[in-house]
């Protein structure tokens, strides 16, 4: 418990204040998030669980800036991301957040290493000549170095997701946000990917916010948030996880 | 150099998506090709025509005179305002080709009696020195073995080779009526001022003055060509011409039978060329519009497919400018590839077309280089147009929230929202695959509209070309209705009207014979200038042969002293109006005649009609004629179409031959014979040039249409891969998949055709108006309904051909790949 208290003595990495998201595109406006207020601290491994349509993905889309909130405030690392325009958001996101998708979303025409280099390229991180070395290091970290020059289509789902995680790490962001990263993988591969996330939290001191349906995996996070009908209905801290490493 | 991954992505996208790359590149390239042929072709033709014409130094003044000596030409040359003058002898003749195995003596003895084909010749005899150094009516040497030609040599104007298989070394039996001689073709020249053989079936030839004696011709000049100094207007040249006539020719007792002072930039093909030029310009605009729509459609669709990748890149930190730069780069690469392929192919096609048109219109192309602005347009179409087309989808793509990019409901296409969708949904009696094909067609409405516009423009052009063709054929038919003769013979000198009518009437099968008189009349303008002489035909007041199409007024009655002018003449000399009085110079004397009517011309140039006896009296040949025309059985019955007249070909040919033989037997020298069919085919061939050029161009536009449809359908296959997989999983076989895509193609094709049919009416009408203006000729307008339905056939063919490749592609989709397709 002491370790968790240690975390909470520092400033939160993510601060959500009264966040509301209403979709107006359908015939009837639909509110996906109702007045959500939340703090996430550095080094936490947060699992978002909930039923389909509960608002989990909407919540992480708010944090990553992939979608715009209707009202409220979101601060990440002292940046009020609700005030950023599209371009500022792109630069900020590229340097601050690594995004991992359920369907991997690697660019099919680029090799694994090129996919990992792409965020560095866009955000001008590292010298152009050094980017390949960095990318290879990240691929080694996810045990995919030997596949560096293969196209995504030549890889299995689990391997693609590892490359996607390496890409998320490319600009060394403090925060990784993952939307059901194991949802499209078999249980063995899902376990391996999850172990990788745990290592990132414990060894690399990353903060991870992850949506998951898998109850077994959800039990391995340091903090579990249950989302139902657009509100956080349960917030559990697991004392038995040593998040300070 | 290490390329950043995003640059590598561009090249990888180009390299891996062959079909998309091919599609976009083909779309852009075909547009470049069409514009190169139309716009490039037009500009090069205009430039080269002007250059060739300027180089030829066409005479500013031409006199046809009674025989005179070179001394007269030297006197004219010495005048201050004269830059140069050349004296030539021009005379009519005919030739027969001497077979290789026949010697000259045998040919002279036996060939003309053998009754082979004779071809009309117009021969110009020049001083040996003038072949090279003539500063008036310069000849352009093409392939000459003996230059200048010797006394047994003949040089042929190159346009003859389009009609007759003549080669250097061939021997011709040349018959002038007063002498025969076997002459050897010693070379070919190009003369832009010679009327190409295909138009009047007459070969232009050149001999040296040494050859005149052998051909039974006097060694004297009968034509003097003069160039004035500096650049002058026609009126200024006319004053110089009058002064030369008064002070040199009249003073020497030389009779001037004809004086021509053309507009300095006038060429006899000017109108036809202007028409070709207008048509090419219209076609160039159509090509530009078509390729514009095609490029916009294809590039937009390709970029819409990249929506998700744009979302991914934004999610990993790409800024808007970076993404825009990335895709603009991609589109520029497509454009560059298209330019690399389309530009040389377009130049090749354009050059072929330039050669073809230059050949028909008889001018030489020495430089095929497109003007800079045309090249710039081609590059613009290849590079800028796709980039501009891409801007909208690129901006849409980068503005779309990332969350939408991953949501197929938002990023993809939805069906069922609009009125058309609901209407299509209500059609229930269709088989499922047909209903699916129909609804899929309307799923991408933006692209559907663009594809429809592209195909509509293409089919409207094809239909308009059909209507222009039909209208021109109708015009030819009308001309057939005006000249109701079967055969006519034109004489080299005048003969008695009564004798000619008696001889012609005695031929079996001739029901009616009439004689006309050809002449040249000079018109005095209101400003006092005595200008061009015009071809004048004296026709009996009670003619049965000529049925004029009056624009205004009437024809001179029998014995009436009045003139009738053609529309071309009336538009060239606007003071010629019905009711006005004109001063004519005929045979050296001035007379006044009222203008009583204006009639439609028939592409024979400016013509003046008079009552035959009036012209005969003025010309000093009363009771004589130069032409006899006959009608055979039912000859007076109006035939409405060329096809109907063609049924009389045999009769007409027989009558022409018998008439010619009969006159020659009586030692009346014949210059040429012509049947009504030949005359109409001649007019038809002149107007046919326009139809041919239009057809070539519409074929190029049709190609743009095929690529457009095929592209649109291929995109549809790419986008509907998942749906195709689902269909296959529930039992759709190859035939069903093919059926769905071909039905889609047919639906799009038929809709475009219907819209095109509506557009083709104003388009064809506009094209005809442009032709009427440039040809100075009243043309019949006839909208071709058969052309519209024929075009439907073509459109269906295009639709099926355009859908085959996409359908085949669709049939290759495996269920596993389709379901996992992202």
């Amino acid at each position: 418990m002491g370790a968790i208290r240690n975390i909470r003595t520092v400033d939160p990495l993510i601060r959500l204040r009264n966040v509301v998201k209403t979709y107006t595109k359908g015939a009837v406006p639909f509110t996906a998030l109702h007045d959500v207020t939340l703090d996430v601290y550095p080094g936490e491994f947060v699992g978002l669980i909930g039923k389909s349509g509960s608002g989990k993905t909407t919540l992480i889309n708010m944090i990553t800036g992939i979608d715009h909130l209707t009202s409220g405030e979101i601060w990440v690392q002292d940046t009020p991301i609700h005030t950023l325009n599209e371009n500022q958001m792109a630069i900020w996101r590229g340097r601050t957040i690594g995004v991992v998708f359920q369907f991997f979303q690697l660019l099919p025409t680029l090799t694994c290493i090129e996919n990992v280099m792409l965020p560095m390229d866009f955000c001008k991180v590292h010298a152009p000549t050094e980017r390949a070395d960095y990318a290879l290091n990240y691929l080694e970290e996810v045990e995919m170095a030997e596949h560096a020059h293969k196209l995504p289509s030549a890889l299995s789902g689990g391997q693609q997701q590892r490359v996607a995680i390496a890409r998320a790490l490319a600009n060394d962001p403090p925060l990784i946000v993952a939307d059901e990263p194991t949802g499209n993988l078999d249980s063995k591969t899902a376990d391996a990917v999850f172990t990788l996330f745990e290592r990132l939290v414990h060894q690399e001191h990353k903060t991870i916010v992850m949506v998951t349906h898998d109850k077994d995996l959800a039990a391995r996070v340091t903090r579990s948030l249950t989302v139902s009908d657009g509100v956080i209905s349960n917030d559990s801290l697991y004392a038995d996880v040593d998040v300070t490493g | 150099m290490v390329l950043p991954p995003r640059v590598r992505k561009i090249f990888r996208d180009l390299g891996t998506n062959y079909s998309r790359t091919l599609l976009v590149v083909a779309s852009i390239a075909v547009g470049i090709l069409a514009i190169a042929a139309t716009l490039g072709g037009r500009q090069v033709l205009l430039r080269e025509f002007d250059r060739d014409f300027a180089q030829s130094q066409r005479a500013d003044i031409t006199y046809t005179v009674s025989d005179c000596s070179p001394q007269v030409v030297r006197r004219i040359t010495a005048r201050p305002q004269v830059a140069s003058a050349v004296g030539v002898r021009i005379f009519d003749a005919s030739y027969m080709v001497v077979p290789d195995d026949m010697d000259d003596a045998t040919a002279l003895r036996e060939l003309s009696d053998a009754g082979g084909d004779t071809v009309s010749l117009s021969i110009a005899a020049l001083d040996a020195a003038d072949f090279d150094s003539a500063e008036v009516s310069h000849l352009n040497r093409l392939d000459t073995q003996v230059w200048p030609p010797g006394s047994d040599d003949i040089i042929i104007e190159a346009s003859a080779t389009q009609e007759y298989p003549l080669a250097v070394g061939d021997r011709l039996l040349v018959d002038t009526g007063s002498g025969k001689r076997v002459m050897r073709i010693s070379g070919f020249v190009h003369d832009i001022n010679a009327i190409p053989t295909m138009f009047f079936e007459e070969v232009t030839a050149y001999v040296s003055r040494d050859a005149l004696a052998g051909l039974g011709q006097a060694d004297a000049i009968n034509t003097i060509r003069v160039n004035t100094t500096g650049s002058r207007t026609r009126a200024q040249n006319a004053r110089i011409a009058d002064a030369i006539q008064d002070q040199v020719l009249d003073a020497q007792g030389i009779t001037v039978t004809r004086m021509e002072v053309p507009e300095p930039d006038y060429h006899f093909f000017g109108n036809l060329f202007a028409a070709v030029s207008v048509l090419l310009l219209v076609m160039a605009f159509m090509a530009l519009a078509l390729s514009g729509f095609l490029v916009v459609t294809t590039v937009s669709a390709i970029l819409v497919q990249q929506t998700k990748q744009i979302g991914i890149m934004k999610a990993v930190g790409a800024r808007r400018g970076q993404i825009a730069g990335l895709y603009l780069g991609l589109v520029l690469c497509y454009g560059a590839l298209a330019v690399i392929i389309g530009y040389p192919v377009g130049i090749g096609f354009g050059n072929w077309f330039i050669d073809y048109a230059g050949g028909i219109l008889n001018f030489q192309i020495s430089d095929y280089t497109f003007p800079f602005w045309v090249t710039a347009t081609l590059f613009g179409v290849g590079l800028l147009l796709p980039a501009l087309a891409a801007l909208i989808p690129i901006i849409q793509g980068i503005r779309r929230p990332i969350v939408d990019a991953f949501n197929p409901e938002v990023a993809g296409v939805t069906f069922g929202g609009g009125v058309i969708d609901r209407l299509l949904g209500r059609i229930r009696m269709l088989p499922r695959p047909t209903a699916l094909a129909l609804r899929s067609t309307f799923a991408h409405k933006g692209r559907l509209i663009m594809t429809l516009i592209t195909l509509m423009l293409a089919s409207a052009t094809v239909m308009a070309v059909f209507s222009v063709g039909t209208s021109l054929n109708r015009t030819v038919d009308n001309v057939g209705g005006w000249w109701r003769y079967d055969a006519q013979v034109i004489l080299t000198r005048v003969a008695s009207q009564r004798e000619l009518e008696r001889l012609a009437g005695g031929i079996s099968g001739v029901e009616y014979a009439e004689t006309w008189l050809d002449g040249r009349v000079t018109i005095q303008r209101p400003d006092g200038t005595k200008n061009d002489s015009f071809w004048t035909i004296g026709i009996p007041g009670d003619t049965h042969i000529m049925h004029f199409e009056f624009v205004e007024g009437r024809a001179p009655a029998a014995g009436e002293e009045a003139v009738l002018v053609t529309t071309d003449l009336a538009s060239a000399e606007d003071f010629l109006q019905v009711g006005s009085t004109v001063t004519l110079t005929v045979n050296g004397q001035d007379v006044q005649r009222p203008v009583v009517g204006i009639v439609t011309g028939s592409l024979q140039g400016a013509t003046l009609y008079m009552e035959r006896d009036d012209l005969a009296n003025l010309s000093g040949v009363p009771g004589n004629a130069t032409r006899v025309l006959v009608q055979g059985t039912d000859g007076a019955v109006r035939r409405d179409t060329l096809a109907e007249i063609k049924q009389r070909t045999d009769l007409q040919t027989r009558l022409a031959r018998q008439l010619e033989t009969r006159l020659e037997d009586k030692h009346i020298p014949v210059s040429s014979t012509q049947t009504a069919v030949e005359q109409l085919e001649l007019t038809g061939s002149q107007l046919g040039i326009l139809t041919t050029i239009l057809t070539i161009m519409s074929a190029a536009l049709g190609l743009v249409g095929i690529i457009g449809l095929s592209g649109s359908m291929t995109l549809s296959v790419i986008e509907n891969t998942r749906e195709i997989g689902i269909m296959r999983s529930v039992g759709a076989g190859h035939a069903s998949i093919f059926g769905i895509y071909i039905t889609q193609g047919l639906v799009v094709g038929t809709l475009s055709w219907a819209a095109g049919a509506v557009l083709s009416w104003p388009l064809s009408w506009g094209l005809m108006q442009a032709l009427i203006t440039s040809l100075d000729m009243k043309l019949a307008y006839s909208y071709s309904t058969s052309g519209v339905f024929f075009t439907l056939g073509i459109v269906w063919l295009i639709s099926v051909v355009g859908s085959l490749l996409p359908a085949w592609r669709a049939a290759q989709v495996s269920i596993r790949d389709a379901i996992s397709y992202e």
Side-chain angles (χ1 to χ4, degrees):
Chain A
M1 285 297 281
I4 295 163
R5 281 194 201 95
N6 280 345
I7 291 170
R8 298 225 160 166
T9 56
V10 296
D11 288 338
L13 180 69
I14 306 169
R15 277 183 287 155
L16 274 72
R17 294 289 177 268
N18 311 107
V19 169
V20 175
K21 175 64 186 180
T22 305
Y23 292 104
T24 53
K25 279 186 181 168
V28 183
F30 169 72
T31 301
L33 292 177
H34 295 275
D35 200 25
V36 173
T37 293
L38 171 72
D39 288 333
V40 174
Y41 292 88
E44 279 192 309
F45 187 177
V46 179
L48 285 174
I49 54 174
K51 292 177 185 167
S52 264
S54 60
K56 308 180 296 290
T57 299
T58 306
L59 183 60
I60 62 162
N61 282 348
M62 294 297 118
I63 297 169
T64 55
I66 279 178
D67 204 353
H68 301 287
L69 45 75
T70 307
S71 66
E73 291 181 2
I74 300 177
W75 296 72
V76 177
Q77 263 195 337
D78 301 328
T79 305
I81 63 167
H82 54 279
T83 63
L84 299 182
N85 65 27
E86 188 83 16
N87 237 17
Q88 293 166 328
M89 182 82 85
I91 300 165
W92 168 82
R93 188 191 303 116
R95 288 175 177 273
T96 318
I97 303 183
V99 187
V100 180
F101 301 95
Q102 181 181 357
F103 290 104
F104 332 130
Q105 311 293 16
L106 296 173
L107 292 188
T109 54
L110 293 183
T111 59
C112 296
I113 192 166
E114 287 166 348
N115 264 289
V116 178
M117 285 160 73
L118 195 63
M120 304 178 192
D121 184 25
F122 282 132
C123 298
K124 299 188 173 62
V125 172
H126 308 304
T129 48
E130 295 171 357
R131 286 175 193 159
D133 293 337
Y134 278 99
L136 200 58
N137 281 339
Y138 288 119
L139 285 171
E140 270 170 16
E141 206 169 316
V142 298
E143 296 168 10
M144 286 298 294
E146 61 185 298
H147 302 290
H149 298 288
K150 287 182 183 167
L151 287 172
S153 55
L155 305 179
S156 69
Q159 289 172 319
Q160 288 193 45
Q161 194 60 296
R162 283 166 181 272
V163 176
I165 293 167
R167 181 179 67 184
L169 297 172
N171 290 344
D172 195 21
L175 175 63
I176 290 173
V177 177
D179 188 0
E180 293 199 49
T182 57
N184 214 29
L185 305 175
D186 60 68
S187 58
K188 197 177 161 199
T189 315
D191 183 68
V193 167
F194 203 87
T195 305
L196 177 62
F197 276 126
E198 285 176 329
R199 189 158 54 81
L200 289 173
V201 172
H202 296 155
Q203 294 176 11
E204 311 277 336
H205 310 293
K206 301 290 182 192
T207 305
I208 296 180
V209 179
M210 181 181 81
V211 171
T212 184
H213 268 113
D214 189 325
K215 288 198 172 147
D216 292 341
L217 296 177
R220 290 163 60 179
V221 296
T222 64
R223 183 182 174 191
S224 160
L225 299 171
T226 307
V227 184
S228 51
D229 296 330
V231 295
I232 295 171
S233 57
N234 187 36
D235 184 348
S236 306
L237 288 172
Y238 297 114
D240 55 338
V241 177
D242 180 9
V243 295
T244 57
Chain B
M1 195 183 115
V2 182
L3 288 174
R6 53 186 151 147
V7 177
R8 287 186 224 174
K9 175 179 155 38
I10 294 183
F11 291 118
R12 222 60 72 65
D13 281 351
L14 284 169
T16 47
N17 293 319
Y18 298 117
S19 52
R20 287 178 217 194
T21 303
L22 194 70
L23 185 63
V24 184
V25 169
S27 303
I28 305 169
V30 80
I32 294 175
L33 185 142
I35 295 166
T38 49
L39 200 58
R42 175 180 188 266
Q43 294 312 122
V44 171
L45 285 173
L46 284 176
R47 182 190 66 208
E48 293 299 299
F49 182 82
D50 286 346
R51 185 200 51 75
D52 196 10
F53 187 48
Q55 231 172 42
S56 77
Q57 304 190 47
R58 197 264 320 269
D60 293 323
I61 306 163
T62 305
Y63 300 98
T64 307
V65 293
S66 54
D67 287 359
C68 63
S69 71
Q71 186 65 27
V72 177
V73 178
R74 283 196 283 276
R75 287 222 179 116
I76 294 172
T77 312
R79 293 180 66 83
Q81 289 166 319
V82 171
S84 56
V86 167
V88 294
R89 181 170 189 85
I90 294 177
F91 52 98
D92 290 333
S94 62
Y95 76 78
M96 294 172 94
V97 176
V98 179
D100 287 345
D101 55 0
M102 187 183 279
D103 62 46
D104 291 2
T106 316
L108 271 171
R109 216 172 38 241
E110 295 173 7
L111 195 59
S112 50
D113 298 330
D117 288 337
T118 60
V119 178
S120 295
L121 263 180
S122 171
I123 301 179
L126 282 73
D127 251 355
D130 287 335
F131 273 91
D132 260 337
S133 61
E135 288 166 16
V136 189
S137 301
H138 187 74
L139 298 177
N140 205 340
R141 281 171 71 175
L142 294 179
D143 175 16
T144 49
Q145 281 186 349
V146 184
W147 187 265
S151 58
D152 287 326
D153 295 320
I154 188 164
I155 304 275
I156 303 289
E157 205 286 319
S159 68
T161 54
Q162 289 178 337
E163 292 290 297
Y164 304 108
L166 297 173
V168 171
D170 284 356
R171 287 170 305 145
L172 306 178
L173 176 65
V174 179
D175 184 354
T176 63
S178 47
K180 280 184 199 173
R181 193 176 178 85
V182 173
M183 304 190 84
R184 186 176 159 279
I185 298 178
S186 66
F188 290 93
V189 291
H190 164 70
D191 182 358
I192 193 174
N193 295 307
I195 294 173
T197 301
M198 71 170 286
F199 288 95
F200 292 105
E201 302 298 326
E202 185 178 70
V203 173
T204 304
Y206 309 86
V207 298
S208 75
R209 278 178 57 194
D210 302 344
L212 285 172
L215 289 165
Q217 290 283 316
D219 183 11
I221 286 163
N222 66 4
T223 304
I224 301 170
R225 293 168 177 158
V226 179
N227 267 350
T228 56
T229 52
S231 62
R232 295 169 191 274
T233 63
R234 178 158 82 165
Q236 290 169 328
N237 284 335
R239 275 191 281 278
I240 296 170
D242 284 344
I244 292 172
Q245 185 175 347
D246 289 347
Q247 294 160 27
V248 181
L249 300 173
D250 290 352
Q252 301 265 315
I254 296 163
T255 310
V256 176
T257 53
R258 173 178 166 187
M259 179 178 82
E260 278 179 272
V261 185
E263 282 288 353
D265 57 355
Y266 171 81
H267 185 273
F268 48 84
F269 274 162
N271 288 348
L272 194 61
F273 195 67
V276 170
S277 153
V278 164
L279 293 183
L280 287 178
L281 196 62
V282 173
M283 287 294 170
F285 274 115
M286 293 302 284
L288 199 61
L290 264 168
S291 49
F293 278 110
L294 182 55
V295 167
V296 170
T297 313
T298 319
V299 170
S300 308
I302 293 290
L303 285 167
V304 167
Q305 290 170 9
Q306 292 278 324
T307 301
K308 194 172 196 172
Q309 298 207 12
I310 293 174
I312 296 170
M313 285 189 283
K314 281 166 79 173
V316 300
R319 277 166 282 153
R320 286 180 175 185
Q322 289 173 322
I323 293 174
L326 197 66
Y327 284 98
L328 277 177
L330 178 69
V331 171
L332 281 175
C333 284
Y334 282 136
L337 275 175
V339 168
I340 290 168
I341 296 164
Y343 186 69
V345 176
I347 291 217
F349 182 58
N351 287 355
W352 170 81
F353 174 72
I354 290 163
D355 266 339
Y356 174 80
I360 292 178
L361 297 169
N362 197 33
F363 61 94
Q364 277 202 309
I365 316 291
S366 60
D367 180 6
Y368 291 85
T369 319
F370 288 173
F372 174 75
W373 68 266
V374 172
T375 309
T377 306
L378 293 177
F379 276 77
V381 167
L383 297 171
L384 284 183
L385 192 63
L388 283 175
L391 270 184
I392 295 171
I394 286 175
I395 291 170
Q396 281 174 345
I398 58 181
R399 279 195 180 160
R400 178 174 289 129
I402 302 173
V403 68
D404 287 355
F406 293 120
N407 184 351
E409 285 293 309
V410 182
V413 170
T414 51
F415 179 86
V419 179
I420 297 174
D421 295 356
R422 286 201 294 275
L423 279 175
L424 286 171
R426 280 190 198 156
I427 305 173
R428 298 197 194 279
M429 63 286 218
L430 292 173
R432 285 311 115 205
T434 312
L436 184 67
L438 209 56
R439 290 169 202 176
S440 301
T441 309
F442 287 89
H444 300 267
K445 289 186 190 61
R447 188 189 313 148
L448 175 68
I449 289 169
M450 297 295 264
T451 311
L452 281 177
I453 291 175
T454 312
L455 268 182
M456 176 191 74
L457 290 176
S459 60
T461 309
V462 172
M463 283 183 263
V465 168
F466 270 110
S467 287
V468 169
T470 309
S471 301
L472 295 179
N473 286 341
R474 172 71 63 86
T475 306
V476 174
D477 289 344
N478 286 349
V479 174
W482 305 337
W483 297 60
R484 290 183 210 170
Y485 70 95
D486 280 313
Q488 63 169 325
V489 169
I490 299 166
L491 311 176
T492 50
R493 57 173 168 77
V494 294
S496 154
Q497 292 169 8
R498 210 174 275 173
E499 171 78 352
L500 290 172
E501 283 166 16
R502 188 183 62 78
L503 288 170
I507 295 168
S508 78
V510 169
E511 280 202 346
Y512 173 76
E514 190 171 297
T515 55
W516 293 3
L517 179 68
D518 295 83
R520 281 272 163 181
V521 165
T522 304
I523 291 178
Q524 248 179 50
R525 291 199 167 135
D527 64 5
T529 51
K530 205 193 269 182
N531 277 343
D532 272 11
S533 65
F534 293 98
W535 182 31
T536 306
I537 310 179
I539 292 176
D542 57 354
T543 178
H544 290 198
I545 302 274
M546 186 61 119
H547 294 255
F548 290 113
E549 168 129 330
F550 289 99
V551 174
E552 203 183 345
R554 58 177 178 81
E560 186 182 2
E561 295 180 343
V563 297
L564 182 66
V565 297
T566 55
T567 41
D568 348 30
L569 180 51
S571 80
E573 305 289 351
D574 55 11
F575 62 91
L576 291 173
Q577 288 166 355
V578 174
S580 65
T581 300
V582 61
T583 305
L584 310 173
T585 307
V586 191
N587 199 24
Q589 66 177 90
D590 289 352
V591 291
Q592 301 235 316
R593 290 287 182 273
V595 178
V596 293
I598 297 174
V599 291
T600 298
S602 54
L603 274 189
Q604 300 196 326
T607 310
L608 194 77
Y609 292 102
M610 296 176 76
E611 213 281 328
R612 179 189 60 190
D613 294 336
D614 184 23
L615 181 63
N617 291 335
L618 289 174
S619 305
V621 288
N624 281 317
T626 50
R627 188 194 288 236
V628 56
L629 305 96
V630 296
Q631 285 175 342
T633 317
D634 295 332
V637 177
R638 179 183 170 131
R639 281 85 63 170
D640 282 324
T641 63
L642 181 57
E644 283 170 24
I645 297 171
K646 274 188 173 173
Q647 290 171 0
R648 297 173 70 84
T649 303
D650 292 344
L651 169 75
Q652 294 187 346
T653 311
R654 182 176 63 78
L655 288 179
R657 188 152 286 180
Q658 286 183 342
L659 191 56
E660 185 181 5
T661 312
R662 184 125 202 190
L663 296 178
E664 282 179 341
D665 286 349
K666 296 290 174 188
H667 304 293
I668 298 171
V670 170
S671 165
S672 64
T673 61
Q674 192 177 43
T675 62
V677 170
E678 286 168 356
Q679 189 196 349
L680 288 185
E681 284 180 341
L682 191 64
T683 310
S685 70
Q686 292 179 46
L687 294 175
I689 288 175
L690 303 174
T691 319
T692 308
I693 285 172
L694 276 174
T695 306
I696 292 172
M697 292 301 146
S698 62
L701 295 188
L703 189 65
V704 181
I706 293 182
I707 302 271
L709 180 71
S710 192
S712 178
M713 303 280 294
T714 304
L715 293 169
S716 160
V717 172
I718 293 169
E719 283 163 11
N720 293 330
T721 302
R722 192 189 293 272
E723 286 77 359
I724 294 164
I726 294 168
M727 285 191 285
R728 305 221 35 199
S729 72
V730 297
H734 278 16
S736 306
I737 303 279
F738 264 84
I740 287 169
Y741 279 92
I742 288 171
T743 308
Q744 273 195 34
L746 287 171
V747 169
V748 174
T750 309
L751 285 173
S752 314
W753 165 82
V758 176
L759 181 66
S760 71
W761 186 82
L763 186 61
S764 60
W765 191 84
L767 278 171
M768 288 310 292
Q769 292 308 307
L771 287 181
I772 288 169
T773 309
S774 48
L775 288 174
D776 258 339
M777 178 176 173
K778 187 181 166 195
L779 301 170
Y781 176 74
S782 169
Y783 184 73
S784 169
T785 39
S786 57
V788 168
F789 288 101
F790 189 76
T791 308
L792 179 62
I794 297 175
V795 165
W796 279 346
L797 190 68
I798 286 178
S799 304
V800 172
V801 171
S803 316
L804 277 179
L805 193 67
W808 178 81
R809 220 187 122 106
Q812 303 308 307
V813 169
S814 78
I815 298 173
R816 194 183 58 80
D817 289 351
I819 303 299
S820 66
Y821 181 81
E822 277 297 318

